[in-house]
Amino acid sequence: MDDENVNINYEVTRIKQDVVIVDEMSMVDIVLMNYLCKALQEKTRLILIGDSDQLPSVGPGSVLKDLIDSGAISTRKLTEIYRQAAESQIIMNAHKINSGSQDIDLNMKDGDFFFIRETNILSQIVELIGTRLPKMRNI
């Protein structure tokens, strides 16, 4: 993709480091990746870190997912989760969703995972911010 097609023309400063690490790579779109690649020197090693199961970038393209799916790059997959407790309903349901299971309880009212069926979303947001979330974190 060239700059003229997206009406953006930023000057690129060459990156002089031997290694560049990009975290949250699932958020990188093709325009940003284009500029990053232009900035790298030929000898620079590029390490991309991200989760292709997370939301993609808001711009065009799914760069990380496409790179992984291409098989053209070597990848490592982390399988242990450190941010939430192992018994977290978020974690359990994320694993179910990733494996294609439809066995997700959408009627849970307590815990760290809940599904909201509501036509008046504003009242639900007020309840979440004012009551449910503080109660979960003992705020």
Side-chain angles (χ1 to χ4, degrees):
M1 168 181 271
D2 59 32
D3 299 338
E4 296 161 5
N5 289 338
V6 292
N7 297 323
I8 298 174
N9 191 12
Y10 295 114
E11 187 176 321
V12 175
T13 301
R14 298 293 281 186
I15 298 171
K16 297 178 182 175
Q17 277 60 37
D18 294 330
V19 178
V20 173
I21 301 172
V22 179
D23 194 10
E24 297 295 344
M25 188 60 200
S26 66
M27 299 304 296
V28 175
D29 64 20
I30 57 175
V31 175
L32 183 56
M33 189 65 179
N34 177 47
Y35 281 107
L36 174 61
C37 290
K38 285 180 179 181
L40 297 176
Q41 296 182 64
E42 191 172 321
K43 67 178 180 130
T44 303
R45 178 169 288 208
L46 180 61
I47 300 173
L48 308 175
I49 301 171
D51 183 346
S52 62
D53 292 326
Q54 289 185 339
L55 292 174
S57 65
V58 294
S62 298
V63 175
L64 179 63
K65 181 179 182 333
D66 291 345
L67 283 170
I68 292 170
D69 291 349
S70 75
I73 60 171
S74 75
T75 62
R76 302 292 182 270
K77 186 168 187 165
L78 304 178
T79 57
E80 196 162 333
I81 298 167
Y82 294 96
R83 288 189 181 172
Q84 287 95 8
E87 59 278 346
S88 163
Q89 294 166 346
I90 293 172
I91 300 304
M92 291 187 291
N93 286 319
H95 286 301
K96 288 179 181 179
I97 290 167
N98 283 340
S99 69
S101 173
Q102 295 182 10
D103 182 32
I104 298 171
D105 183 3
L106 299 179
N107 296 312
M108 291 184 225
K109 296 290 182 197
D110 297 321
D112 63 353
F113 178 89
F114 39 87
F115 182 78
I116 301 171
R117 286 184 184 98
E118 183 66 43
T119 55
N120 184 355
I121 193 68
L122 184 58
S123 68
Q124 286 294 316
I125 292 171
V126 169
E127 181 191 353
L128 279 170
I129 293 171
T131 306
R132 289 174 78 176
L133 295 177
K135 185 176 165 184
M136 289 174 57
R137 297 287 182 219
N138 296 323
I139 297 175

